[in-house]
């Protein structure tokens, strides 16, 4: 049994916390997010959704680490058991959902993820910033974020980004600029086609509303034009979206190229690429 003085010394030691280094407080300066050790430990066993790497979620994990749920995993190099963060439970707690639209990430959060995930991958890669994980993270995120249209294209790019990233994880595939450029071309074409369709639908709705407001009648109009008359100069070509001619009057030498695409055995075929596109 310890004497009273030694017992008090032990009790005092048990109450003490480790020292920490104070830094000047600057309310106008954004706090720098750091990667908690718990994410490195979990990353040895499971793939971490990128939603973990927003500044907000990193701060939360760091602050509440002692109370976050854990689970048992067998160590990668032995039969021992490791206790790591329960990624599924913590994901639910933080609202991280890879199946949700854009993984529940805003464009600004995606930019944060790019920086923090690169930091994570480069610091856990045996070769550091020269390692394959760091190279992929840098090239993968930079390809999109360096595009001048990245903000406007985010909703179209994000679903394809997830597939490209998962393919790398599953197949250990290296970054391919050619493949990424092809994906970018496809989503730009898809975006343009979608916007064209939306504009056409809006125009039809506006015209229908005008007719409805006029009691279903348009003064001086006829249901159908005479057979020998040409189309109205106010019409739009459904093939190229230009005004002034119908699709049956389209002339490739005078008008813009036709906009089209079709699926062939589940893959996209476009006018300038008459074979299925593969990623």
């Amino acid at each position: 049994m310890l004497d009273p003085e030694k017992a008090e010394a032990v009790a005092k030691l048990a109450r003490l916390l480790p020292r920490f280094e104070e830094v000047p407080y600057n309310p106008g300066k954004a706090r720098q997010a750091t990667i908690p050790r718990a994410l490195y430990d979990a990353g040895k066993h499971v793939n971490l959704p990128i939603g973990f790497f927003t500044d907000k979620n990193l701060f939360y994990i760091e602050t509440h680490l002692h109370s976050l749920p854990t689970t048992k995993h067998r160590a990668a190099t032995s039969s021992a058991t490791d206790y790591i963060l329960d990624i599924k439970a913590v994901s639910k707690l933080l609202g991280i959902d890879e199946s949700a639209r854009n993984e529940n990430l805003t464009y600004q959060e995606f930019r944060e993820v790019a920086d923090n995930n690169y930091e994570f991958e480069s610091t856990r890669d045996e070769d550091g910033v020269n390692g394959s994980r760091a190279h992929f993270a840098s090239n993968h995120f930079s390809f999109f974020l360096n595009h001048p249209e990245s903000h406007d294209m985010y909703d179209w790019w994000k679903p394809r980004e997830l597939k490209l990233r998962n393919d790398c994880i599953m197949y250990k595939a290296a970054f391919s600029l050619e493949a990424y450029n092809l994906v970018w071309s496809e989503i730009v074409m898809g975006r343009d086609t979608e916007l064209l369709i939306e504009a056409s639908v809006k125009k039809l709705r506006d015209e229908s509303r005008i007719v409805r407001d006029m009691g279903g009648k348009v003064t001086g109009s006829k249901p159908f034009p005479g057979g020998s008359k040409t189309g109205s100069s106010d019409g739009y070509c459904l093939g190229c979206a230009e005004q002034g001619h119908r699709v049956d009057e389209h002339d490739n030498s005078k008008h813009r190229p036709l906009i089209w695409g079709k699926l062939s055995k589940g893959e996209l075929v476009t006018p300038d690429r008459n074979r299925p596109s593969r990623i």
Side-chain angles (χ1 to χ4, degrees), residues 57-227:
N57 287 342
L58 289 175
F59 292 145
Y60 185 92
I61 294 170
E62 181 182 8
T63 305
H64 299 84
L65 184 59
H66 63 284
S67 62
L68 294 179
T70 59
T71 186
K72 291 192 296 184
H73 262 271
R74 179 173 294 178
T77 57
S78 70
S79 59
T81 299
D82 290 341
Y83 282 87
I84 64 171
L85 284 178
D86 187 334
I87 297 303
K88 184 176 181 180
V90 177
S91 294
K92 185 176 181 180
L93 178 66
L94 298 177
I96 298 171
D97 184 0
E98 287 187 318
S99 65
R101 176 178 173 82
N102 297 342
E103 297 184 76
N104 283 337
L105 295 172
T106 65
Y107 175 76
Q108 180 56 41
E109 288 174 332
F110 186 73
R111 296 192 71 95
E112 295 173 3
V113 162
D115 291 337
N116 293 328
N117 184 257
Y118 173 75
E119 174 72 14
F120 175 72
E121 295 295 356
S122 62
T123 50
R124 73 171 182 155
D125 197 305
E126 184 177 359
D127 297 318
V129 296
N130 296 317
S132 57
R133 291 183 177 86
H135 277 168
F136 178 81
S138 175
N139 291 327
H140 174 79
F141 290 109
S142 296
F143 174 85
F144 170 68
L145 293 175
N146 287 343
H147 269 284
E149 293 184 283
S150 64
H151 184 274
D152 296 333
M153 294 296 295
Y154 179 64
D155 286 340
W156 283 273
W157 171 256
K158 188 65 188 70
R160 302 297 293 272
E161 180 275 333
L162 176 61
K163 184 179 185 306
L164 288 167
R165 180 161 36 87
N166 284 341
D167 283 350
C168 172
I169 295 172
M170 183 178 298
Y171 304 115
K172 302 295 188 292
F175 175 82
S176 168
L177 182 59
E178 180 182 3
Y180 276 59
N181 279 330
L182 180 58
V183 171
W184 180 262
S185 298
E186 289 178 351
I187 66 169
V188 169
M189 185 179 70
R191 187 275 309 267
D192 292 345
T193 302
E194 184 175 328
L195 293 179
L196 176 62
I197 293 173
E198 289 178 356
S200 299
V201 170
K202 182 179 183 301
K203 183 175 183 293
L204 290 173
R205 286 176 176 170
D206 291 343
E207 291 174 348
S208 298
R209 185 171 60 253
I210 292 173
V211 172
R212 185 176 63 251
D213 292 344
M214 297 178 67
K217 297 180 180 179
V218 179
T219 305
S221 67
K222 295 182 180 180
F224 300 97

Side-chain angles (χ1 to χ4, degrees), residues 18-65:
R19 295 185 180 90
F20 67 91
E21 183 180 352
E22 293 182 322
V23 296
Y25 175 62
N26 185 350
K29 183 179 180 180
R31 179 185 171 192
Q32 181 67 40
T34 57
I35 313 295
R37 170 65 183 272
L39 290 185
Y40 288 103
D41 294 338
K44 294 178 181 178
H45 299 275
V46 295
N47 293 317
L48 303 179
I50 62 170
F52 274 83
F53 296 99
T54 64
D55 289 350
K56 176 184 67 176
N57 287 342
L58 289 175
F59 292 145
Y60 185 92
I61 294 170
E62 181 182 8
T63 305
H64 299 84
L65 184 59

